[in-house]
Amino acid sequence: MKLRTAIPQVKGLQHLVESMQLQSGLGKRYLLDMPMLYQAEEINRELDLVTRAYSILSGKKAGLISKIQTKLMQVRDIKGSVKNMKANLVLDDIELFEIKSFALVSDEILKLQNEFESTLMEIPDLNPMISILDPENNRIPSFYIYDSYSDELATVRKEIKELKAAIKADPETGDGQPLDDLLCQAEAIEADVRAQVCERLYPYATDLEKALNQIAHLDVIVAKALLAENLGFTRARLSDSTTEYKGMFHPQIKETLALSKRKFQAIDIALNQSVCFITGANMAGKTVILKTLALCQYLLQFGFFVPAQSARIALVDRILVSVGDDQSEQNGLSSFASEMVKINEMVEASIKKENVLILVDELARTTNPTEGRAIVNAVAEIFNENQTQSVITTHYSGLDSRCRKLRVKGLDKDFKSGEINKNNINDYMDYSLIEDDASSVPHEALRIAGILGINQQIIAKANKNLLKPDSIFCRENQSCEA
Amino acid sequence: MPFIKEIEKYKSLSIVGLEKNTGKTECLNYVLSRLSGSTKQIALTSIGVDGENTDIVTQTHKPEIEVYEGMIFVTSELHYHKKNLIAEVLDVSTQTTSLGRLVTARAKSSDKVMISGPANNAAIKDLISQMRNFDVDLTLVDGALSRKSLGSPAVTDAMILATGAALSANIPQLVYKTNYIYDLINLEAVEDELKECLLPIQKGIWAISDRDELVDLEIESVLLIEKAKDKLFTKGNRIFVNGAITDKFLNFLRVQKQIKEIEIIVRDFTRIFASPETYYAFIKRGGRIKVLQKTKLIAVCINPVSPDGYCLNSDELKQAMEEKLKLPVYDVRKLNKN
């Protein structure tokens, strides 16, 4: 999977990629075409590079990075010219100009990198190409078929100039078209010279291609390091068994909160090779936890640092997410049907014992609670049996007692009435997770609805309903007791 | 050496023909030939496509543009490959036009070149400012006025107007029409502060309230003004119109009772498509029009020959024009002969 295809699958990823300070179109394309990495050594190799750039940023030579960025800004994508070169075609002046100016920038970046203790990114030396394209040794990014390529050309050009001057003085000198003949001659020599120049360049095509690639990669590495520095990301360690985050946060939400001078409460979470339920009141951030878990996993496997204080992450082959905010109507499926299609895919992956990370938000919430709870427990059982790393959030009570449960603390302190309203409820919410072995889940929906300022009639009537002997609430408790 | 000294005072200059065959290219060639001796670094580009060998519309002979050694020119990839002169590539744009990317090159010999350039205002402005990277002192822009173009020559600091028998074969009529354009070019510019606010707005019709607040009137275009007459003056009498000013619009404004308070703001003079009669009637009633971008007209060139063979008396035309415009007027063909 390429990053390009992963972006639409996780919401936060798009935002992060857009906020990266990539300097060249080349770098942007390289980033979007990056494959998802599944091998620990590949990931570590990429992360090592980001770490190097990251440490340079906080060191004395940080200025060099911005110098390199300025140079990266001048880099143009010359893949077309490289392709023509590899096919041994004769290039035109514009293509030769592009190659020359790229080679010059590449050389400058190479020199800037030499000032680091060790080179960040190996770039082939393109000086042999530069000297072919710069016969007058000006080191200026400009190109034409210079006189110095061929004495013959220089002579003809001189003759043309003289003849033109003569014709201007006396138009009859131009009779018999001597000028056209000379122009033709000059053009033929230019074509020859161009072919020769290209012939001399062909052996370096591979070097050029490599340089192009490495410079694009360098752009990406620097942008990744800057992203990590700006947003407080950290390098995750790779784990063979369990995934564990300390101080995990969602970068986009944190940013939005920071704009209104509020803080995002980072959370700690540990997963193991089985199912894990997350319960908690409404507005307690359960969905955000799932989204952040998916985001972190993708970030790691595309060679990024992750938004957490520290993290140990197990690699997976696939990330399967069901967060019910996609447009299922377009496929002609009801929200329940489209959810079930997704769950089916997850369960099949689980049965095949694939190495996946499964994240499900409020499983079976769009059907009746009796059957819903039965579905939740069935799916959880399958994940448990097959030791599939999975997280399911739910509001249902009566969950399979063999499964691990985490609960968001929520509003568990005592508050004066009227102290909380819908504007400050987020400040009172405790988003941290605690292990929970109770079989029932928090019943705070009405309390939160009240805080949100919902019409009092609803709350009063709903509370009354709960007290009726045949209410779901009572039945639920009875069934649990039974 | 008429008006060349004046030209050198500016950073950018456009040469604009009021009609096809009014001698714009000849005028440009004249300016280029005189500037070829200058110590200043000159750059040349065009709004949209220009420099065809024969004029496609009228099939008349059309002189190509002569670029002199040392000058910088910007043209599309397609036209660059067709050039005869020797030129050193300095830059290739990242954006593409309909004729390929734009190539910036320095002429290493003198010859004729086909010049084409960016087609919209922002791109021309960018291009002119990028020319600083090549130490360019003066950028010449081959402008278009009668053509349907998004690019307006008003983005340059100064302008030369080419007019002639192709526009009208009757001297008083020709002077009247040219004078109208002259009046439009001289429309007053809005204050800088307001200009900065309005420049980025690309769409719609906006009112500027008495407290200098901008209000979108949510009218798509003045062409739809019939349907939204009632909305127009709800927020104030200063109106910024993004699109074209038509006869219909001015005639509508002319009959309003608060006509003396009405002030219309347009992007530049090329957005006024109204006939001179309507425009002058609007002004006579007390209406006002201001522009965001103002350019300085430094000379008028005349071509007394029309494509259908009609030939006006050059001296008579020159005199009549000078009297009316109070501006230097030249017949470029005569200048070349001297």
Side-chain angles (χ1 to χ4, degrees):
Chain A
M1 180 160 49
K2 284 181 175 174
L3 183 58
R4 200 186 292 279
T5 40
I7 283 174
Q9 302 189 14
V10 217
K11 278 218 172 107
L13 203 52
Q14 169 101 32
H15 176 75
L16 285 181
V17 168
E18 275 169 12
S19 60
M20 283 176 80
Q21 300 172 26
L22 287 162
Q23 303 301 320
S24 63
L26 201 64
K28 273 180 204 125
R29 217 157 304 146
Y30 186 95
L31 177 71
L32 292 177
D33 284 335
M34 275 189 104
M36 187 156 161
L37 305 171
Y38 304 101
Q39 304 296 328
E41 33 188 306
E42 285 177 326
I43 294 175
N44 275 325
R45 206 179 308 136
E46 178 77 4
L47 291 180
D48 282 346
L49 287 169
V50 182
T51 310
R52 290 270 321 280
Y54 187 82
S55 58
I56 292 171
L57 279 173
S58 53
K60 278 181 207 151
K61 298 202 165 148
L64 274 177
I65 294 273
S66 54
K67 274 190 196 161
I68 288 181
Q69 282 194 304
T70 319
K71 290 291 161 202
L72 284 169
M73 234 184 272
Q74 299 168 17
V75 171
R76 300 279 172 81
D77 191 352
I78 57 163
K79 280 212 181 79
S81 306
V82 175
K83 218 164 77 191
N84 290 346
M85 213 168 135
K86 289 185 97 180
N88 287 8
L89 298 176
V90 175
L91 307 174
D92 64 33
D93 288 6
I94 297 172
E95 287 173 310
L96 290 170
F97 161 78
E98 284 187 320
I99 292 173
K100 182 175 172 182
S101 49
F102 174 78
L104 283 168
V105 175
S106 163
D107 192 51
E108 283 171 52
I109 293 175
L110 185 86
K111 280 184 192 140
L112 282 172
Q113 279 205 86
N114 286 342
E115 292 180 42
F116 296 140
E117 272 114 57
S118 63
T119 316
L120 191 55
M121 188 73 68
E122 293 289 344
I123 298 172
D125 181 10
L126 298 182
N127 271 307
M129 292 188 102
I130 297 175
S131 53
I132 296 170
L133 292 168
D134 191 16
E136 292 170 0
N137 203 16
N138 292 324
R139 292 194 81 89
I140 295 170
S142 73
F143 181 79
Y144 74 113
I145 302 293
Y146 296 92
D147 286 0
S148 44
Y149 277 126
S150 149
D151 293 339
E152 205 188 348
L153 182 65
T155 324
V156 177
R157 278 180 177 170
K158 212 174 145 202
E159 280 172 36
I160 293 174
K161 203 172 176 181
E162 283 164 5
L163 187 61
K164 270 190 187 167
I167 292 174
K168 209 166 192 179
D170 176 13
E172 277 174 27
T173 328
D175 289 352
Q177 298 183 320
L179 184 61
D180 284 359
D181 293 345
L182 278 177
L183 286 172
C184 269
Q185 216 179 323
E187 206 169 301
I189 303 172
E190 274 184 33
D192 278 348
V193 171
R194 210 171 281 129
Q196 283 165 22
V197 167
C198 291
E199 199 69 41
R200 285 164 67 197
L201 288 176
Y202 294 148
Y204 302 105
T206 331
D207 276 356
L208 185 65
E209 195 174 28
K210 192 172 173 212
L212 205 58
N213 210 34
Q214 293 293 83
I215 284 187
H217 197 179
L218 178 65
D219 196 1
V220 169
I221 293 293
V222 169
K224 278 180 175 175
L226 279 167
L227 185 77
E229 196 189 50
N230 292 341
L231 301 179
F233 286 11
T234 185
R235 177 175 179 168
R237 280 181 296 148
L238 304 189
S239 145
D240 298 329
S241 50
T242 56
T243 293
E244 193 179 349
Y245 293 93
K246 288 257 180 317
M248 178 180 83
F249 59 91
H250 193 285
Q252 199 178 345
I253 298 173
K254 186 178 175 183
E255 227 172 275
T256 319
L257 286 176
L259 283 180
S260 54
K261 299 229 161 62
R262 286 191 296 178
K263 262 185 82 180
F264 185 94
Q265 187 191 342
I267 60 145
D268 302 341
I269 184 170
L271 311 177
N272 43 23
Q273 292 296 337
S274 78
V275 70
C276 167
F277 283 116
I278 297 182
T279 62
N282 299 76
M283 292 199 69
K286 298 186 296 295
T287 311
V288 172
I289 293 174
L290 290 192
K291 286 184 176 170
T292 318
L293 283 172
L295 181 66
C296 288
Q297 194 77 34
Y298 274 116
L299 283 174
L300 173 73
Q301 299 202 245
F302 280 107
F304 286 83
F305 281 16
V306 294
Q309 245 167 37
S310 72
R312 281 175 54 236
I313 306 176
L315 298 180
V316 297
D317 293 336
R318 259 198 311 161
I319 303 162
L320 297 168
V321 186
S322 164
V323 178
D325 50 6
D326 47 14
Q327 292 296 311
S328 46
E329 293 93 339
Q330 283 169 6
N331 310 327
L333 292 176
S334 75
S335 44
F336 179 72
S338 75
E339 185 188 17
M340 282 305 116
V341 171
K342 271 192 192 167
I343 299 299
N344 188 45
E345 188 191 357
M346 294 171 172
V347 167
E348 278 175 5
S350 171
I351 290 169
K352 281 189 221 146
K353 297 211 190 299
E354 279 184 43
N355 179 17
V356 289
L357 170 64
I358 291 177
L359 304 165
V360 188
D361 192 27
E362 295 190 39
L363 177 55
R365 71 170 174 288
T366 48
T367 189
N368 66 71
T370 324
E371 283 181 292
R373 179 169 43 237
I375 293 173
V376 171
N377 278 330
V379 171
E381 202 177 323
I382 297 171
F383 290 165
N384 225 359
E385 278 167 13
N386 297 298
Q387 300 189 335
T388 306
Q389 189 179 209
S390 50
V391 182
I392 301 172
T393 67
T394 184
H395 284 292
Y396 292 137
S397 303
L399 301 170
D400 192 325
S401 56
R402 288 164 296 176
C403 298
R404 181 167 163 242
K405 286 182 213 75
L406 292 173
R407 182 168 60 86
V408 183
K409 272 193 186 162
L411 296 170
D412 62 352
K413 290 170 218 147
D414 290 326
F415 302 104
K416 286 181 224 127
S417 71
E419 188 179 346
I420 312 178
N421 56 45
K422 71 175 170 207
N423 296 320
N424 66 7
I425 180 166
N426 286 315
D427 304 330
Y428 287 88
M429 199 59 94
D430 185 345
Y431 294 97
S432 54
L433 290 166
I434 43 171
E435 297 277 350
D436 185 22
D437 44 18
S439 64
S440 68
V441 295
H443 291 97
E444 289 191 297
L446 286 175
R447 188 171 163 211
I448 289 171
I451 291 169
L452 291 174
I454 305 301
N455 192 316
Q456 277 302 323
Q457 284 196 27
I458 305 178
I459 294 162
K461 285 198 156 70
N463 274 324
K464 223 173 181 179
N465 281 339
L466 286 175
L467 297 175
K468 287 182 188 164
D470 60 339
S471 82
I472 294 167
F473 184 66
C474 286
R475 277 215 314 253
E476 210 171 65
N477 282 346
Q478 281 157 14
S479 69
C480 293
E481 279 151 23
Chain B
M1 198 189 280
F3 68 81
I4 297 300
K5 278 276 160 283
E6 178 77 14
I7 290 174
E8 288 188 339
K9 288 185 203 157
Y10 298 95
K11 293 293 249 178
S12 57
L13 168 80
S14 57
I15 296 178
V16 174
L18 285 190
E19 188 57 68
K20 287 218 158 266
N21 293 295
T22 48
K24 176 186 66 169
T25 310
E26 248 173 290
C27 176
L28 179 57
N29 273 336
Y30 170 75
V31 171
L32 284 169
S33 76
R34 299 318 289 258
L35 286 173
S36 65
S38 160
T39 50
K40 300 212 175 231
Q41 176 65 60
I42 310 294
L44 173 67
T45 188
S46 161
I47 296 176
V49 189
D50 214 325
E52 311 93 336
N53 263 329
T54 47
D55 196 316
I56 297 162
V57 181
T58 53
Q59 293 297 317
T60 49
H61 172 71
K62 188 174 177 204
E64 285 173 275
I65 295 168
E66 175 103 23
V67 175
Y68 295 85
E69 189 174 338
M71 283 186 185
I72 287 174
F73 61 94
V74 181
T75 192
S76 66
E77 236 171 332
L78 189 83
H79 286 155
Y80 185 80
H81 287 303
K82 287 186 183 165
K83 72 184 168 34
N84 273 327
L85 55 64
I86 311 165
E88 180 178 25
V89 186
L90 299 177
D91 194 21
V92 185
S93 72
T94 41
Q95 280 99 2
T96 38
T97 69
S98 53
L99 298 174
R101 295 174 296 174
L102 293 174
V103 179
T104 306
R106 189 192 308 274
K108 286 283 177 181
S109 72
S110 309
D111 214 323
K112 302 204 158 78
V113 186
M114 297 207 220
I115 299 289
S116 42
N120 67 64
N121 273 347
I124 297 160
K125 265 185 149 170
D126 281 352
L127 188 70
I128 292 173
S129 64
Q130 273 168 30
M131 285 299 125
R132 265 182 307 201
N133 301 341
F134 305 109
D135 296 325
V136 169
D137 301 304
L138 169 65
T139 307
L140 298 183
V141 179
D142 187 347
L145 198 59
S146 57
R147 278 178 243 173
K148 284 178 187 139
S149 164
L150 288 169
S152 159
V155 297
T156 56
D157 302 339
M159 182 182 282
I160 293 177
L161 214 52
T163 182
L167 185 64
S168 169
N170 164 319
I171 291 184
Q173 192 64 26
L174 177 54
V175 171
Y176 177 73
K177 282 188 177 171
T178 309
N179 183 56
Y180 171 49
I181 302 297
Y182 171 81
D183 281 344
L184 294 187
I185 294 175
N186 282 330
L187 282 174
E188 200 184 324
V190 299
E191 53 272 39
D192 285 345
E193 206 177 306
L194 185 58
K195 178 180 166 179
E196 293 312 311
C197 294
L198 293 177
L199 265 183
I201 301 173
Q202 296 292 345
K203 255 171 60 183
I205 297 175
W206 297 68
I208 299 133
S209 73
D210 300 335
R211 278 172 294 155
D212 280 344
E213 286 162 340
L214 285 178
V215 190
D216 189 350
L217 293 173
E218 286 161 14
I219 305 171
E220 285 289 311
S221 140
V222 272
L223 301 173
L224 302 171
I225 202 73
E226 286 293 311
K227 289 181 189 141
K229 277 178 183 171
D230 54 322
K231 283 195 209 164
L232 199 56
F233 296 111
T234 47
K235 305 288 180 213
N237 289 323
R238 295 181 88 188
I239 312 278
F240 173 57
V241 179
N242 245 305
I245 301 290
T246 57
D247 279 343
K248 203 162 138 194
F249 185 53
L250 288 187
N251 280 329
F252 161 70
L253 295 179
R254 194 159 56 96
V255 297
Q256 302 305 307
K257 58 179 184 301
Q258 79 276 36
I259 171 79
K260 288 194 171 61
E261 272 83 58
I262 295 177
E263 182 178 303
I264 300 299
I265 300 169
V266 293
R267 196 157 283 274
D268 59 59
F269 78 92
T270 62
R271 303 300 166 106
I272 302 169
F273 281 70
S275 70
E277 291 77 11
T278 319
Y279 169 77
Y280 289 123
F282 170 74
I283 296 297
K284 213 170 250 168
R285 286 273 290 135
R288 278 167 298 154
I289 301 185
K290 284 189 178 178
V291 292
L292 292 189
Q293 271 162 338
K294 186 177 161 72
T295 178
K296 178 155 173 59
L297 185 65
I298 56 176
V300 174
C301 289
I302 48 169
N303 176 13
V305 186
S306 83
D308 45 22
Y310 199 88
C311 189
L312 298 171
N313 182 317
S314 169
D315 293 331
E316 222 174 284
L317 176 60
K318 179 169 146 63
Q319 203 189 346
M321 200 71 89
E322 267 176 346
E323 253 168 39
K324 183 79 185 172
L325 304 184
K326 310 272 181 283
L327 207 74
V329 176
Y330 306 98
D331 181 344
V332 173
R333 266 193 206 166
K334 282 198 158 179
L335 287 174
N336 275 334
K337 276 178 201 150
N338 296 336

